[in-house]
Amino acid sequence: MGRFHRILEPGLNILIPVLDRIRYVQSLKEIVINVPEQSAVTLDNVTLQIDGVLYLRIMDPYKASYGVEDPEYAVTQLAQTTMRSELGKLSLDKVFRERESLNASIVDAINQAADCWGIRCLRYEIKDIHVPPRVKESMQMQVEAERRKRATVLESEGTRESAINVAEGKKQAQILASEADKAEQINQAAGEASAVLAKAKAKAEAIQILAAALTQHNGDAAASLTVAEQYVSAFSKLAKDSNTILLPSNPGDVTSMVAQAMGVYGALTKGPVPASQDSVSSRSSRDVQGTDASLDEELDRVKLS
């Protein structure tokens, strides 16, 4: 008779003809509704064309039948207005980054408004977001600039790392070279010190052996022979390095030179001079005086020349 009586349950139901009539049939399954494409303005004044898909289910058939005339149309309009409202709170960059949070916000707003209709929105998904051509070109330019920036930064970082590595290598090379020079100088100094010490030891041993030999029988004669040999060797090298020569008065008298050398040796050792050598010493002294006079005359001739 036009008044709500009851809700028919699934299964067998008996209706009284003329009095009972089925007015609304509601499906309790999940319903998929395509939200038409619409325009929305973001927080930074960019106009977008956006559409989506809405998933809902009727939880209370009575409210869905008597609470609203067309529940699907009402929910669709509510989804569109809610989507425009939520997009107006976000900038263009955040629309792409916060897509999931935008979907969750639309679902919460729809559920709060559709509770009195007996309808529950399960989820909302944005399908496509269409950006104006100029904005799309600017976004592409921005992306390209960002990529060039990253490439430049990476290249500069690579150059810096390369320069640091080269400088570090040169530093290590200089340190190693200085350490090698230091070790070489230390080794060279140690070698020279060892050589000097070895020479000193050898000379000391030679002096000891010579002193021991001189104290033996006929040691003076052997020393005289050595001095004579050295005199003859030095006399053979005269006038080889220089043209100016100073000679004694009698350079061929080897005996006098040996006597002088032995006299110097005897004076240093302060030992007794044999009697046989007195005549030689006196003769050598006369020869030395003569030699000095000859040297003075030779010097005068050199000065005059």
Side-chain angles (χ1 to χ4, degrees), residues 220-284:
D220 294 339
S224 299
L225 179 60
T226 302
V227 171
E229 290 177 352
Q230 292 180 357
Y231 178 79
V232 171
S233 176
F235 188 79
S236 66
K237 296 179 180 179
L238 292 175
K240 289 185 177 180
D241 297 332
S242 176
N243 295 327
T244 303
I245 307 171
L246 298 180
L247 296 175
S249 62
N250 190 10
D253 191 359
V254 181
T255 304
S256 62
M257 297 302 299
V258 173
Q260 292 179 10
M262 295 305 294
V264 174
Y265 171 73
L268 292 175
T269 57
K270 294 181 180 181
V273 180
S276 60
Q277 294 181 358
D278 291 340
S279 60
V280 177
S281 298
S282 61
R283 186 178 59 185
S284 63

Side-chain angles (χ1 to χ4, degrees), residues 145-182:
E146 186 68 23
R147 290 180 178 176
R148 287 195 297 268
K149 176 184 175 182
R150 291 179 182 178
T152 304
V153 171
L154 292 176
E155 184 178 0
S156 62
E157 290 179 355
T159 305
R160 185 186 65 179
E161 293 293 335
S162 176
I164 291 174
N165 292 335
V166 171
E168 189 68 24
K170 291 182 179 179
K171 176 182 176 182
Q172 294 296 330
Q174 292 179 357
I175 292 174
L176 293 176
S178 62
E179 291 180 354
D181 293 340
K182 178 181 177 182

